[in-house]
Amino acid sequence: MENKSVILIVEDEAGISNFIAAILKANDYKMIKAVTGKEAISMTASYSPDLILLDLGLPDIDGMEVLKTIREWSTIPVVVVSARGHEREKVEALDLGADDYITKPFGTAELLARIRTGIRHSPKNRSENALESTSLRIGELAIDYDKRLVTVGEKSVHLTPIEYKIIVLLSKNIGKVLTHDYIIKEVWGPYTNEIQALRVNMANIRRKIEENPAEPQYIVTQVGVGYRMVEELDV
Amino acid sequence: MVDFSDTRPNPDDILEDLFIKEQNKKGRLEIFFGYAAGVGKTYAMIDDAQEQLRCGVDVLVGYVEEHTRPETIQIMNGLPILAPKMVEYRKLQLKEFDLDAALERKPELILVDELAHTNAPGMRNKKRYQDIEELLNAGIDVFTTVNVQHLESLNDVVQKITHVGVKETIPDYVFNQADKIRLIDIEPDELLRRFESGKIYRPERTQKALDNFFTRENLRLLREIAMRKVANRISSDNQNEPRLSKKMANIRLMVCISASPSSARCIRWTDRTAEAFQAPWTAVYVEDMDSDAMTDGEKNRVRDHLALAERLGAEIVTLNGHDIATVIAEYAKLSGITNIVIGKSRNKKSLISYFKASLEEKLIAMLPSIEIHIIPGNPGIKKNALYQRRRLRISRNLFLSWQDSVKTLLIIVAATLISLMLQALNISDQNIIMVYILSVLIISRVTVGYLYGVLASCLTVLVFNYFFTVPYYTLHAIQEGYPITFVIMLLVALITSTLTVRIKTQARLAVEREHRTEVLYEINKKLLASRDFEETIGLINAYMVKIFGRSAIFYSQDPEDHDSDTFLQSELEDDAAFLKSESERAVAHWVFMNKKCAGAGTDTLMGAGAFYMPIIARSKVLGVIGLSCANGVLNQNNRLFLRMIASQVEMALERHYLSNEQRRILVESEKEKMRSNLLRGISHDLRTPLTGILGASSAILESGSIMDQETQETLINNIKEDSQWLIRMVENLLSVTRINEGPMNVTKTPEAAEEIVAEAISRIRKRFASRKITVKVPEVLLIVPMDGTLIEQVIINLLENAIKYSPEDSVIAVEVKKTGNEAVFEVSDQGNGITEQDFPYLFETYVPDGKRNADSSRGMGIGLSICRSIIKAHQGKIDAENKAQGGAVFRFTLPLQEM
């Protein structure tokens, strides 16, 4: 236990922050709590936590503002806690540099999974294993970046350049939600609105790599927000 | 018992009245009324204003005349004064009242001298009383002054007494509707003394005024008239109140209008009489054949007369017909007129007038039961005008065209050939004459105007003379009877040709009238059939363009706050996009605020490029019609027609407003009902799990130490389950709030159907990991416009429902397909299906007591009803049925294209 990760919980509801604290403690994390946005900013500066769990509804300043301020000088992973139905808020937070989001109400397992992913992909950790991996494997799906080859099981999958671009983009950000706008900008370039094209390409990719496109295993949809490539398959 | 039911006003009406009054609170108008200049009106007005100022009222002196006396200026001390607007007109600097500045400053009370003043050209309104009406409409109280000779209805009376014509007049309604009249009165002798001491006009003008106007005799008469006017007002005020100013129905006056200047007098006389009798009155103008031939001056005069009558409060009617007397008599009979007023001038004493019955004689003969009043007109009407008119009328009918000349020649040649044939057959001369007369008749029928008829008759006489009279082939007539034959032929030809011309004109008039009636009928029919507001407005514009050949614009809301204009370009005009410009919108805005016509051809904002008319129903402006005047202003006829159409439009628009209102109320109450049902439904449902959570948690807290591990875990599990249920319930309720009012209020974005289904299933899987769910989506990506979150909620609800009502180990199938123009989503289970008694209430929020399945006390009854609301908001359909092989299918469809 020499290197416990420090998590900053920014939440004004005592009930929720209590139970999150209990879970984190039980799972060997160190945590600090902030109740207001200003407190959150100053604590981020002084403690430099490994991850921030940020509730968007704060008593003093808007959570978005907190996010913006932190992103001005820090790349600490931020997981936004938001209510269901506020898709626009989530997209906005992701576009402002949040790493992930979690929807209230959430279960223990979900919360821990997000925190794990967040910490694993934080720039700090990434620089440690600086050698970019040349391949990726999730379940049956394998991507070889050098050979530009995608296989499912033994079968190689033939993808169009755009489809390949999308799948690589998602795999490089594995576990992270990428918003529609972000993917479009990365694949097609700025100033385009190819949301329809993105959907069609995504449907094609799924038909090629998923067993049942209506029950995708590898790339899941976040309705109204974007897509995420899963890190580990659900059992 | 006394029955008050008839006389007592309905309290609702009064409240509504008050409400309307409160909404557009008008300012009060107080008029300081005098019988001549110098009686001290302005002084009294300013004195009163000083008093108001002392009482704390926000007073502003808007405008006081230049020639104000020093004493008056002295007492103005301390009153804030509005700077006059300087207007240059013909190199003269004129001071005018600055209306816009006053409206902007918005005092409580404003003083504006000289109500009857005519504004300099280029000002917004032609007359000052219009400025004052705007001030009143803006809720500002106004003090103003006026002299008796400026009242429209008394104008001619005063003129007769003083022999001085007064051009600046105000309509009587301004005077009658004033909230307060203050009569400022001094003895005529005193006034004359003031005059002589030069207190009123400067000395050089004083002498002139004394000679012409200010004689003791004149002043005495004017004073009497002024006092009587005020006294009349008081007595009519007293009479009016209890009866709510219902006009007496047993007397109806009608005045006949012509281009003659004496018509104005008839109109004023009728107005005074109507006022005295409290009777309604109508001004009638008959368009006959001469109307076409009128000079521009005459046309303008007719328009002025009609405008005058309208200002004085008459109903305006234009009739068509050849014989004025018959038309008037018919109209009078039909509309229950009891008194007819006509003007008569004794100037055309000619031979014909002895044989021709005059208008009044004809009317008396035709209408024995109606009283006829004859008002003598000014003698000395220019005879020239009559001649001019006759000349014009004749020249109008003298057309020369190649077509008609050829026709005439051909017919005469044909007649001659026939006659030659007849002669060869030895048939007598009389028949030949008949043939020629027939030819003249035909010629006047097929050609335009008199000319060819007359020419043909002369020509036929010559031809007849040449071919058929002895000696043949010369133009000599030897036989004795021939000159008589010629004369008769000529006369017959002339009479027939004039007759046919007249018939043709009448036929044209009749066709025009017919067309008008037809158009009105058509508009009425179409407007009645139109379903929504947009359609109605489209129709109105289309008809405006079709009928008047002008581009039209329609504002359904005040252009200052809303963008509600509908514009239609006419093909007959150049680009009329100027109608949408800022300045034109300002005119439309003015019309909205002041509920009056404005723009080109009116007294207000005449610089505008279009004529604007408000559509008013129940003192509310429902819309403003604008007609481009790029090709000239609308004439009286057009305006009348426009007004007729406007009344139809008004009814149609009001109908729409009312039905919209009703629909809104219905929707509102429906929504209210739904909400309260929902609340009633859920408050019970919420209480159950909350009780469970509270009970379980307090049990653990209070006696956790004496409980065994297993019991504690059961209780904690219960808490978890109950909370999960609560969360689902809250998510459902949140979905409902996403659907706003009305059917069109979900924000649809194109979503891939399979993604939505996948998300819903993955959420369900998390909760019910053990259940088997199969999914089938089409091979081709199906993009459906929807609110993804809401549709996901629907699928989740349907899946939960299926899970609940089917055995643990059975399979639940989800399928998406495309049929025609719809996406179909199906959720089917292998349970027991839906019972017969549940079917009717499946998607209802509120289930009547006792009919509710006992099992569903915690069920998704609300869930299904929310599904229905969501699908309905997407313009889709949802239904359920039992499968033949067992189990239930819930199916909903979403339209693929936006409707």
Side-chain angles (χ1 to χ4, degrees):
Chain A
M1 301 291 146
E2 73 277 19
N3 218 349
K4 276 187 185 174
S5 294
V6 182
I7 314 256
L8 171 64
I9 307 169
V10 188
E11 169 66 67
D12 60 322
E13 290 285 334
I16 293 174
S17 82
N18 275 342
F19 104 78
I20 295 177
I23 294 167
L24 293 183
K25 209 170 174 183
N27 284 279
D28 259 352
Y29 288 103
K30 237 164 85 180
M31 80 295 171
I32 39 179
K33 290 184 195 169
V35 177
T36 64
K38 284 188 184 123
E39 217 179 318
I41 292 168
S42 71
M43 283 173 99
T44 310
S46 45
Y47 290 89
S48 183
D50 292 294
L51 186 131
I52 304 169
L53 262 183
L54 175 66
D55 190 296
L56 289 178
L58 293 174
D60 56 341
I61 40 175
D62 188 15
M64 293 292 179
E65 289 301 317
V66 177
L67 178 60
K68 247 189 258 177
T69 317
I70 292 176
R71 272 288 168 267
E72 274 168 24
W73 41 265
S74 166
T75 52
I76 295 171
V78 175
V79 175
V80 166
V81 182
S82 144
R84 195 163 119 75
H86 296 185
E87 273 70 32
R88 195 169 301 166
E89 192 177 271
K90 292 171 193 164
V91 173
E92 203 183 324
L94 289 172
D95 285 343
L96 278 176
D99 292 80
D100 206 344
Y101 71 85
I102 183 162
T103 307
K104 266 187 202 171
F106 45 81
T108 322
E110 202 180 351
L111 176 68
L112 288 172
R114 292 298 152 84
I115 290 175
R116 268 201 309 277
T117 316
I119 292 178
R120 194 182 309 151
H121 291 281
S122 74
K124 212 163 88 186
N125 290 337
R126 206 178 275 175
S127 59
E128 274 168 22
N129 43 355
L131 270 175
E132 280 274 313
S133 56
T134 54
S135 65
L136 177 105
R137 175 166 278 279
I138 321 159
E140 295 280 275
L141 179 73
I143 306 173
D144 191 325
Y145 297 119
D146 290 343
K147 291 182 189 159
R148 295 177 72 93
L149 193 69
V150 178
T151 48
V152 175
E154 294 301 306
K155 251 182 25 216
S156 82
V157 179
H158 181 76
L159 293 174
T160 67
I162 294 267
E163 287 164 7
Y164 181 72
K165 247 180 168 172
I166 295 172
I167 208 166
V168 167
L169 184 67
L170 284 165
S171 68
K172 295 273 183 192
N173 293 284
I174 194 158
K176 238 176 110 169
V177 181
L178 302 184
T179 61
H180 295 136
D181 281 351
Y182 179 77
I183 301 175
I184 291 166
K185 218 164 75 193
E186 290 294 313
V187 175
W188 281 274
Y191 316 118
T192 48
N193 189 12
E194 302 278 353
I195 181 102
Q196 217 61 3
L198 174 60
R199 287 208 169 94
V200 173
N201 276 295
M202 191 55 70
N204 290 338
I205 292 171
R206 284 195 177 132
R207 278 168 181 68
K208 286 172 187 172
I209 63 169
E210 305 276 5
E211 215 173 294
N212 182 355
E215 288 185 274
Q217 289 177 291
Y218 302 112
I219 302 173
V220 293
T221 312
Q222 308 287 314
V223 171
V225 181
Y227 297 101
R228 176 214 305 271
M229 185 174 273
V230 296
E231 272 183 289
E232 51 221 78
L233 291 188
D234 288 338
V235 192
Chain B
M1 277 282 281
V2 186
D3 184 17
F4 287 111
S5 57
D6 284 344
T7 48
R8 265 174 40 179
N10 181 351
D12 289 343
D13 290 348
I14 295 177
L15 274 176
E16 196 172 325
D17 269 7
L18 280 175
F19 182 65
I20 289 170
K21 270 183 202 144
E22 193 59 38
Q23 261 190 332
N24 28 18
K25 188 181 156 292
K26 279 185 81 170
R28 288 171 49 84
L29 176 64
E30 188 165 338
I31 296 178
F32 293 77
F33 186 58
Y35 65 87
V39 291
K41 300 180 301 292
T42 309
Y43 188 93
M45 174 172 81
I46 294 169
D47 198 35
D48 206 343
Q50 288 282 13
E51 183 67 37
Q52 296 279 343
L53 188 70
R54 275 193 292 279
C55 295
V57 177
D58 179 15
V59 183
L60 179 70
V61 178
Y63 189 81
V64 170
E65 280 299 324
E66 280 274 273
H67 57 71
T68 310
R69 272 65 72 184
E71 296 95 314
T72 318
I73 290 179
Q74 213 171 6
I75 65 155
M76 267 167 64
N77 264 339
L79 285 173
I81 296 172
L82 187 75
K85 194 175 185 172
M86 299 306 291
V87 185
E88 200 182 282
Y89 177 62
R90 291 193 185 155
K91 292 187 180 158
L92 274 173
Q93 285 287 327
L94 297 176
K95 280 184 189 169
E96 286 291 348
F97 168 56
D98 194 344
L99 174 61
D100 291 312
L103 284 172
E104 196 163 314
R105 162 82 167 65
K106 205 164 196 290
E108 280 172 70
L109 171 68
I110 191 162
L111 271 57
V112 187
D113 209 6
E114 293 292 338
L115 179 61
H117 176 75
T118 303
N119 287 336
M123 303 293 289
R124 168 158 12 140
N125 292 320
K126 203 168 172 181
K127 295 283 194 175
R128 182 163 292 159
Y129 71 83
Q130 291 167 323
D131 290 346
I132 287 177
E133 279 175 348
E134 275 190 50
L135 290 170
L136 294 172
N137 281 337
I140 302 171
D141 292 347
V142 181
F143 280 4
T144 187
T145 64
V146 76
N147 279 329
V148 64
Q149 68 264 35
H150 295 302
L151 284 181
E152 184 73 68
S153 64
L154 296 172
N155 184 270
D156 57 334
V157 179
V158 174
Q159 186 179 351
K160 227 161 45 193
I161 294 168
T162 59
H163 301 291
V164 177
V166 178
K167 289 222 178 66
E168 304 195 322
T169 58
I170 58 158
D172 283 49
Y173 73 85
V174 179
F175 183 84
N176 292 338
Q177 286 168 7
D179 298 272
K180 203 168 163 189
I181 302 285
R182 289 266 299 270
L183 179 66
I184 310 300
D185 184 43
I186 58 166
E187 284 289 325
D189 289 344
E190 171 67 27
L191 183 62
L192 283 174
R193 260 200 299 285
R194 278 191 193 180
F195 251 105
E196 276 148 16
S197 58
K199 278 183 181 175
I200 294 166
Y201 291 139
R202 282 183 297 277
E204 66 274 14
R205 282 186 66 190
T206 305
Q207 198 49 47
K208 203 172 155 225
L210 272 176
D211 291 345
N212 289 330
F213 194 77
F214 288 86
T215 62
R216 183 163 292 123
E217 181 68 10
N218 277 353
L219 291 178
R220 250 194 39 231
L221 282 167
L222 284 171
R223 187 180 181 209
E224 189 189 330
I225 294 168
M227 286 178 140
R228 191 173 284 163
K229 182 78 195 168
V230 176
N232 271 347
R233 188 184 132 92
I234 293 165
S235 72
S236 78
D237 272 357
N238 286 344
Q239 285 171 3
N240 271 347
E241 254 155 42
R243 284 184 303 158
L244 294 164
S245 83
K246 258 192 194 130
K247 300 236 170 184
M248 265 170 41
N250 52 352
I251 291 184
R252 279 184 78 95
L253 290 141
M254 174 169 106
V255 58
C256 304
I257 290 175
S258 72
S260 150
S262 64
S263 268
R265 218 169 135 199
C266 299
I267 293 167
R268 291 205 177 89
W269 187 90
T270 316
D271 172 50
R272 284 197 300 274
T273 315
E275 203 187 313
F277 283 112
Q278 299 266 315
W281 61 293
T282 311
V284 173
Y285 173 63
V286 182
E287 267 184 357
D288 58 358
M289 295 195 322
D290 290 353
S291 309
D292 286 340
M294 281 198 305
T295 60
D296 281 346
E298 284 174 315
K299 275 184 192 158
N300 280 342
R301 231 169 13 239
V302 169
R303 203 170 64 207
D304 291 348
H305 289 158
L306 286 170
L308 171 70
E310 200 180 346
R311 264 208 309 279
L312 289 171
E315 187 191 333
I316 309 291
V317 176
T318 308
L319 302 169
N320 274 318
H322 170 62
D323 185 22
I324 298 179
T326 328
V327 175
I328 291 177
E330 283 301 317
Y331 180 78
K333 271 189 221 156
L334 282 175
S335 43
I337 300 290
T338 57
N339 298 57
I340 296 179
V341 182
I342 50 176
K344 170 111 180 132
S345 29
R346 278 208 62 76
N347 55 354
K348 45 169 189 181
K349 183 108 170 140
S350 62
L351 200 64
I352 306 169
S353 61
Y354 282 112
F355 297 102
K356 208 168 146 190
S358 61
L359 175 63
E360 62 273 12
E361 279 163 10
K362 284 195 227 163
L363 283 178
I364 290 167
M366 279 185 264
L367 301 165
S369 62
I370 289 180
E371 287 173 33
I372 291 170
H373 308 260
I374 297 172
I375 310 295
N378 294 4
I381 175 178
K382 287 175 210 146
K383 278 205 160 185
N384 272 351
L386 274 176
Y387 281 128
Q388 204 183 357
R389 187 198 290 196
R390 201 159 295 157
R391 239 196 351 260
L392 214 110
R393 178 167 136 195
I394 290 167
S395 70
R396 277 223 164 199
N397 283 308
L398 293 182
F399 294 110
L400 272 174
S401 73
W402 281 111
Q403 283 174 331
D404 285 354
S405 309
V406 171
K407 274 187 209 162
T408 311
L409 276 177
L410 280 178
I411 292 169
I412 291 176
V413 168
T416 312
L417 288 176
I418 293 169
S419 305
L420 285 172
M421 236 161 65
L422 290 177
Q423 203 187 28
L425 294 173
N426 267 335
I427 293 169
S428 61
D429 282 359
Q430 299 94 300
N431 292 317
I432 293 171
I433 293 171
M434 289 297 169
V435 169
Y436 275 112
I437 289 178
L438 181 67
S439 73
V440 171
L441 202 77
I442 292 170
I443 287 166
S444 14
R445 181 76 194 84
V446 297
T447 57
V448 180
Y450 292 134
L451 185 69
Y452 287 101
V454 176
L455 273 182
S457 50
C458 296
L459 211 65
T460 44
V461 167
L462 291 178
V463 172
F464 179 68
N465 187 357
Y466 188 75
F467 287 106
F468 304 108
T469 56
V470 186
Y472 293 114
Y473 309 110
T474 61
L475 284 175
H476 297 291
I478 290 175
Q479 240 175 8
E480 242 172 84
Y482 280 145
I484 298 171
T485 318
F486 294 160
V487 170
I488 290 174
M489 258 180 87
L490 194 62
L491 276 180
V492 167
L494 276 174
I495 291 168
T496 44
S497 66
T498 28
L499 268 178
T500 32
V501 166
R502 181 176 289 178
I503 287 167
K504 268 156 108 182
T505 317
Q506 259 180 339
R508 185 174 56 76
L509 285 178
V511 165
E512 219 166 74
R513 205 166 40 211
E514 172 83 20
H515 173 70
R516 217 179 257 195
T517 326
E518 214 167 81
V519 167
L520 269 183
Y521 176 67
E522 195 183 316
I523 292 177
N524 195 2
K525 221 167 57 183
K526 285 264 175 65
L527 285 179
L528 270 179
S530 73
R531 275 162 198 283
D532 58 6
F533 202 69
E534 279 71 38
E535 196 186 333
T536 308
I537 290 171
L539 265 176
I540 295 167
N541 267 347
Y543 272 108
M544 288 295 145
V545 170
K546 196 170 130 195
I547 295 167
F548 298 108
R550 294 156 187 268
S551 302
I553 192 160
F554 189 93
Y555 294 94
S556 56
Q557 265 162 329
D558 192 338
E560 192 163 85
D561 320 324
H562 305 273
D563 259 346
S564 65
D565 51 321
T566 321
F567 172 71
L568 194 66
Q569 168 77 40
S570 162
E571 289 171 5
L572 297 172
E573 268 185 337
D574 302 334
D575 183 31
F578 71 86
L579 282 178
K580 291 199 259 189
S581 69
E582 206 48 52
S583 58
E584 295 292 318
R585 289 172 80 91
V587 182
H589 168 66
W590 189 94
V591 173
F592 255 101
M593 299 311 292
N594 291 281
K595 302 176 185 169
K596 269 188 231 157
C597 296
T602 63
D603 289 353
T604 311
L605 297 161
M606 37 209 141
F611 174 79
Y612 292 89
M613 188 165 82
I615 310 284
I616 304 171
R618 295 197 300 170
S619 76
K620 226 180 105 195
V621 180
L622 299 183
V624 169
I625 295 179
L627 277 184
S628 154
C629 292
N631 294 347
V633 295
L634 292 168
N635 61 24
Q636 185 65 27
N637 229 339
N638 278 348
R639 272 199 228 178
L640 267 175
F641 195 34
L642 183 60
R643 185 149 323 141
M644 276 193 255
I645 297 171
S647 62
Q648 309 266 8
V649 170
E650 178 191 310
M651 280 191 319
L653 286 186
E654 195 176 12
R655 192 168 56 89
H656 280 304
Y657 271 108
L658 288 178
S659 72
N660 277 353
E661 187 71 4
Q662 206 174 10
R663 203 174 309 144
R664 199 182 56 75
I665 291 170
L666 202 77
V667 166
E668 199 65 35
S669 68
E670 194 67 21
K671 229 164 51 196
E672 206 46 52
K673 218 163 83 189
M674 193 187 113
R675 286 217 175 110
S676 63
N677 278 345
L678 195 70
L679 271 181
R680 198 170 7 191
I682 61 167
S683 52
H684 172 77
D685 287 1
L686 286 178
R687 210 177 293 142
T688 323
L690 284 174
T691 318
I693 293 171
L694 185 68
S697 55
S698 49
I700 296 168
L701 280 177
E702 282 159 23
S703 39
S705 50
I706 51 168
M707 261 182 222
D708 57 26
Q709 188 72 23
E710 204 180 321
T711 323
Q712 275 200 25
E713 247 167 48
T714 322
L715 286 177
I716 292 171
N717 264 329
N718 283 347
I719 294 176
K720 191 181 167 197
E721 269 167 30
D722 279 342
S723 335
Q724 274 174 346
W725 186 87
L726 277 174
I727 284 165
R728 266 177 281 146
M729 175 64 99
V730 168
E731 269 170 18
N732 266 312
L733 291 180
L734 270 176
S735 318
V736 177
T737 61
R738 268 177 88 115
I739 314 171
N740 298 328
E741 289 100 79
M744 278 300 288
N745 289 327
V746 281
T747 17
K748 290 188 185 180
T749 46
E751 299 274 2
E754 56 189 53
E755 291 181 359
I756 304 294
V757 172
E759 170 98 355
I761 287 173
S762 80
R763 287 171 73 87
I764 281 287
R765 279 254 162 81
K766 273 183 199 155
R767 283 215 309 275
F768 305 95
S770 59
R771 292 303 298 254
K772 281 191 214 103
I773 304 173
T774 65
V775 197
K776 227 175 110 189
V777 292
E779 202 33 53
V780 183
L781 175 69
L782 186 58
I783 302 260
V784 188
M786 60 165 112
D787 181 323
T789 321
L790 287 179
I791 296 300
E792 192 189 321
Q793 185 70 49
V794 171
I795 299 171
I796 289 173
N797 284 355
L798 292 181
L799 279 169
E800 273 180 359
N801 198 58
I803 286 167
K804 195 148 133 226
Y805 291 106
S806 62
E808 188 67 32
D809 54 351
S810 66
V811 177
I812 290 161
V814 180
E815 191 177 355
V816 184
K817 18 180 206 199
K818 185 186 167 200
T819 33
N821 213 7
E822 283 175 332
V824 184
F825 297 74
E826 265 183 16
V827 176
S828 47
D829 60 43
Q830 295 172 347
N832 297 329
I834 306 151
T835 60
E836 204 55 44
Q837 67 176 29
D838 274 346
F839 251 119
Y841 306 112
L842 208 53
F843 296 104
E844 294 293 327
T845 316
Y846 178 70
V847 179
D849 284 339
K851 299 246 172 129
R852 198 168 192 165
N853 196 335
D855 188 40
S856 70
S857 64
R858 262 244 214 143
M860 294 310 295
I862 290 162
L864 283 183
S865 93
I866 285 167
C867 290
R868 187 182 62 165
S869 308
I870 293 172
I871 299 300
K872 228 169 149 185
H874 280 81
Q875 285 99 38
K877 285 189 289 285
I878 186 164
D879 53 30
E881 64 182 23
N882 284 328
K883 283 188 294 189
Q885 62 268 44
V889 191
F890 284 80
R891 184 182 297 119
F892 68 88
T893 63
L894 294 178
L896 286 178
Q897 255 123 46
E898 287 292 342
M899 283 190 237

